[in-house]
C-alpha cells in the first residue's frame, strides 16, 4: 500500500533494513546506474532519489526491466547487427545479461508495482488490454516528474522537467508522465497479442489480513491478495491470522 501511494517513509525504512552500502552496490553493480558517486552513499540520495547527478531515463528503464524480466538485467543497446551492402555482418552487439534479483523476488515486486496502476498514484492510467506495472515519481519541489512502466513487451521511462530545473505546473490533471506512457503504450502495443507476466516458480498467492500482515483464515473479515515465497510459507515465517 505504501509503495502504491508513494509513501517515502517506507522507502527510508527499507533502506535502513538493507543498508546504504548494499543499496549503492546494487544500483551500481547489478542494474548499471553509471551516474552515482561516493557522495550518493547517504539516506536522501538512495531512499528519496536526491542524487547528485540524477539518473538517465535510459538507465532507469533498463533497471526497472528486471521486474518484468524474471530478475535479469540486460545492459541497454541500440542495435543488434550492422551489415554491409553484401549482407556481411560488420558490427554485432554482445548482449550482457546479469541475474540482478532472484526470479521470485522480481515477480513479487512486479505484483506490488501493479498496485500503483490499480489504486495508487497512477490509478486508471494502465494501457489497454495488457498487463502492466510501474512507479510514479515526483520531486518535492516539483522540478522532476517521472513514470517508469513495464509491460511484458516494453520497459519505458518518462521524465518531465526542464534542462535548467524549474518548478513544473501541477495543474495538468492526471499525472502527465504516466498519461504520456499510457498513450504511447496503447499505440505501440495495439497489434501485439495480449500477454501477462510469467508467474515465477516458488511464489504462492494467498489472501492476507491488512491489519496484521499475516495470511488470513476463513474468519478474517477483511482480506487482500498477497504474494509470498514458498520458502517463507514452508518455514512458517509467515503466520496465519487468527479470527477477529
Amino acid at each position: 500500500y505504501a509503495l502504491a501511494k508513494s509513501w517515502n517513509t517506507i522507502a527510508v525504512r527499507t533502506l535502513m533494513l538493507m543498508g546504504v552500502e548494499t543499496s549503492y552496490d546494487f544500483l551500481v553493480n547489478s542494474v548499471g546506474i553509471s551516474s552515482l558517486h561516493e557522495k550518493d552513499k547517504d539516506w536522501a540520495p538512495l531512499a528519496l532519489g536526491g542524487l547528485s547527478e540524477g539518473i538517465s531515463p535510459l538507465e532507469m528503464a533498463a533497471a526497472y526491466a528486471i521486474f518484468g524480466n524474471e530478475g535479469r538485467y540486460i545492459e541497454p543497446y541500440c542495435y543488434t547487427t550492422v551489415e554491409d551492402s553484401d549482407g556481411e555482418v560488420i558490427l554485432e552487439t554482445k548482449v550482457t545479461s546479469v541475474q540482478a534479483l532472484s526470479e521470485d523476488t522480481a515477480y513479487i515486486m512486479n505484483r506490488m508495482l501493479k498496485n500503483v496502476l490499480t489504486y495508487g498514484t497512477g490509478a486508471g492510467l494502465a494501457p489497454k488490454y495488457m498487463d502492466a506495472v510501474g512507479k510514479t515519481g515526483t520531486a518535492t519541489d516539483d522540478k522532476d516528474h517521472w513514470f517508469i512502466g513495464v509491460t511484458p513487451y516494453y520497459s519505458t521511462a518518462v521524465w518531465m522537467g526542464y534542462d535548467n530545473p524549474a518548478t513544473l505546473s501541477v495543474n495538468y490533471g492526471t499525472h502527465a508522465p504516466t498519461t504520456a506512457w499510457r498513450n504511447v503504450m496503447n499505440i505501440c502495443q495495439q497489434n501485439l497479442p495480449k500477454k501477462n507476466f510469467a508467474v515465477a516458480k516458488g511464489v504462492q498467492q494467498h489472501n492476507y489480513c491488512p491489519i496484521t500482515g499475516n495470511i488470513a483464515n476463513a474468519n478474517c473479515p477483511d482480506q487482500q491478495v498477497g504474494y509470498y515465497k514458498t520458502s517463507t510459507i514452508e518455514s512458517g515465517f509467515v503466520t496465519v491470522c487468527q479470527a477477529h
Side-chain angles (χ1 to χ4, degrees):
Y1 186 84
L3 179 70
K5 296 295 186 179
S6 283
W7 289 357
N8 290 337
T9 53
I10 304 303
V12 174
R13 186 185 300 180
T14 302
L15 180 60
M16 292 174 66
L17 294 170
M18 291 174 54
V20 168
E21 288 290 340
T22 299
S23 177
Y24 184 88
D25 179 74
F26 178 79
L27 288 170
V28 173
N29 297 315
S30 295
V31 293
I33 304 301
S34 62
S35 55
L36 270 64
H37 301 283
E38 287 290 318
K39 58 185 175 182
D40 292 318
K41 289 184 178 181
D42 211 336
W43 299 98
L46 297 179
L48 305 178
L51 302 170
S52 55
E53 293 187 12
I55 298 177
S56 73
L58 175 63
E59 291 189 347
M60 191 74 91
Y64 266 77
I66 64 176
F67 301 125
N69 199 30
E70 300 175 332
R72 293 192 303 274
Y73 168 78
I74 298 175
E75 184 178 357
Y77 56 95
C78 295
Y79 65 88
T80 53
T81 59
V82 176
E83 300 177 359
D84 63 17
S85 57
D86 296 321
E88 295 292 327
V89 176
I90 57 177
L91 292 173
E92 186 171 5
T93 296
K94 182 179 180 181
V95 179
T96 301
S97 176
V98 176
Q99 193 71 38
L101 290 176
S102 64
E103 181 180 347
D104 50 8
T105 297
Y107 183 72
I108 291 172
M109 188 66 181
N110 175 292
R111 295 297 82 188
M112 292 171 67
L113 288 168
K114 186 175 179 63
N115 293 332
V116 174
L117 295 170
T118 303
Y119 61 80
T121 52
L125 294 175
K128 297 178 180 178
Y129 318 122
M130 198 72 68
D131 201 0
V133 304
K135 186 69 185 72
T136 59
T138 305
T140 302
D141 54 10
D142 280 309
K143 293 180 179 179
D144 295 277
H145 291 182
W146 283 89
F147 185 78
I148 306 94
V150 183
T151 75
Y153 291 100
Y154 298 105
S155 178
T156 312
V158 180
W159 171 78
M160 183 176 179
Y162 294 100
D163 290 343
N164 295 315
T167 299
L168 296 162
S169 168
V170 294
N171 297 318
Y172 46 60
T174 58
H175 194 257
T178 314
T179 303
W181 170 80
R182 189 266 315 269
N183 293 343
V184 170
M185 289 297 103
N186 283 341
I187 294 171
C188 68
Q189 295 183 144
Q190 62 184 342
N191 295 320
L192 297 175
K194 182 178 179 179
K195 287 179 66 176
N196 293 314
F197 292 102
V199 179
K201 297 177 181 178
V203 174
Q204 297 182 17
Q205 178 180 318
H206 294 280
N207 285 357
Y208 72 93
C209 171
I211 298 173
T212 67
N214 297 329
I215 293 179
N217 65 13
N219 297 316
C220 183
D222 183 16
Q223 301 185 23
Q224 297 182 21
V225 176
Y227 297 84
Y228 303 86
K229 293 187 180 184
T230 299
S231 57
T232 64
I233 299 293
E234 293 178 347
S235 67
F237 180 76
V238 179
T239 57
V240 176
C241 180
Q242 300 302 312
H244 287 72

